[in-house]
Amino acid sequence: MDPFEVRMQFVVLLRRLDASQQSIRKVVSFAVKFFPPCGEDLWDCIVEETQKGSINSRINILYFLDSLCETCLLVKTHANAIGNTQKASSNMYVDLVARDLGKIVENVVPPGVEGSPNLVSTKQILETWRSKRVIDPQILDSVISSFDQRNDAGEIDNDAPTVRKTFTPLPRPEVFKRIEEDRERHKRLRERRWVQPITHNNINQMQAPPLASFMPLTEKEDGDRELSIDIEFDNEWETLSDWNEDDDEACAEENALCFPDPPGEMAMDLD
């Protein structure tokens, strides 16, 4: 199959893409298979479809990119395990997603009312990528902050007279289709909540994972060698609040339940 035929067939697959996992896996396998000869061309097709497609098809493409990035990292992990240095040194489409992430998000969530149906789902995907370290957190932070800048700009523009933009609502069949696809996506999201962050370490899958206390310490600078448990700990640590009076009260209640004072004795001062 020559590059032109690959491009045409890939465009057809993208336009038929829906929220089902079967449809997403089909397009993912095609994109991964033809990445060596036509990776840049296929990526251009993806970016173009995020500009031309309907608001529903754009969010389908973003969920497709989520599965595509995960598959590319798994391919890299497998290449490390079998010693394929050529595939092990490439992140494939992940680097392209990181490079053009701002443009993709701008297309999937256009400013104004038109992009509001895709806003929540897009933020969920970006947060998932950040928690699993799929893409550089600094890139993701700059993209996520762009949504806040839109809100601030919208508040400023509301004070000045502007020309109302025309917005065509979705047809009724498209609305029902979107509801069904959102159900499918949310089911998939619930299934993935318990999944550990992606790791690229060369670990024998037949061996039982060692205890956390015996694992080597890793840092963010280690990149692909960073352990999943360290990524999970960092995510929990970043969302942990400072110690306050509520924590003191909670500890006192737990102590009272575990070590109740005998009748007639004064409570011990733990301060």
Side-chain angles (χ1 to χ4, degrees):
M1 189 182 299
D2 60 55
F4 179 77
E5 292 177 347
V6 172
R7 182 184 180 97
M8 295 302 297
Q9 188 171 346
F10 186 65
V11 170
V12 173
L13 291 175
L14 283 178
R15 293 177 179 175
R16 294 178 181 175
L17 185 66
D18 55 36
S20 66
Q21 287 302 305
Q22 181 180 2
S23 175
I24 291 176
R25 290 193 190 102
K26 184 177 181 179
V27 186
V28 167
S29 61
F30 187 93
V32 172
K33 178 181 179 180
F34 290 98
F35 176 79
C38 309
E40 286 287 346
D41 290 338
L42 298 183
W43 177 250
D44 292 338
C45 294
I46 296 173
V47 176
E48 289 176 4
E49 288 302 315
T50 60
Q51 298 171 344
K52 300 177 181 178
S54 65
I55 199 68
N56 287 350
S57 63
R58 297 179 192 182
I59 193 64
N60 287 336
I61 291 176
L62 190 62
Y63 274 92
F64 152 71
L65 291 178
D66 182 30
S67 296
L68 181 62
C69 289
E70 183 176 357
T71 303
C72 290
L73 294 178
L74 291 176
V75 169
K76 180 178 181 179
T77 303
H78 180 69
N80 277 324
I82 64 177
N84 190 335
T85 57
Q86 183 177 1
K87 289 186 177 181
S89 61
S90 172
N91 290 327
M92 302 176 68
Y93 291 98
V94 178
D95 294 335
L96 299 176
V97 173
R99 185 191 68 188
D100 298 333
L101 184 60
K103 183 190 301 183
I104 294 171
V105 172
E106 186 74 18
N107 295 334
V108 174
V109 189
V113 181
E114 182 184 5
S116 57
N118 293 346
L119 179 60
V120 176
S121 297
T122 300
K123 285 186 175 180
Q124 289 176 343
I125 293 177
L126 297 179
E127 290 293 342
T128 301
W129 287 353
R130 178 163 59 181
S131 64
K132 293 190 174 185
R133 306 286 174 83
V134 176
I135 295 177
D136 187 357
Q138 293 183 353
I139 297 177
L140 293 170
D141 290 339
S142 63
V143 174
I144 295 174
S145 63
S146 65
F147 294 127
D148 299 331
Q149 295 174 3
R150 286 187 192 180
N151 296 334
D152 296 339
E155 294 176 357
I156 296 174
D157 293 343
N158 289 336
D159 298 335
T162 57
V163 179
R164 179 173 295 179
K165 297 182 180 179
T166 59
F167 171 68
T168 304
L170 292 174
R172 190 177 182 86
E174 288 291 327
V175 173
F176 287 121
K177 181 181 178 182
R178 176 60 183 264
I179 293 174
E180 292 299 326
E181 289 182 341
D182 283 343
R183 288 175 180 172
E184 181 70 22
R185 297 189 192 101
H186 293 161
K187 181 177 70 174
R188 172 65 175 167
L189 184 63
R190 288 194 296 270
E191 292 174 353
R192 296 183 60 186
R193 281 178 180 171
W194 60 271
V195 178
Q196 289 285 340
I198 296 174
T199 181
H200 319 304
N201 292 330
N202 184 12
I203 298 176
N204 189 351
Q205 299 297 327
M206 301 300 295
Q207 296 178 353
L211 295 175
S213 57
F214 292 97
M215 289 183 176
L217 296 177
T218 59
E219 301 292 342
K220 292 182 179 180
E221 292 76 11
D222 294 335
D224 294 346
R225 306 304 301 172
E226 187 175 7
L227 294 175
S228 298
I229 193 170
D230 292 331
I231 298 175
E232 187 178 9
F233 176 82
D234 291 340
N235 294 333
E236 293 295 332
W237 182 262
E238 291 173 359
T239 58
L240 187 66
S241 62
D242 295 333
W243 189 274
N244 51 40
E245 296 179 356
D246 294 335
D247 297 316
D248 292 332
E249 295 177 358
C251 289
E253 292 176 359
E254 292 293 335
N255 287 332
L257 292 174
C258 295
F259 307 105
D261 296 325
E265 292 189 8
M266 298 294 292
M268 181 182 297
D269 188 7
L270 298 179
D271 297 336

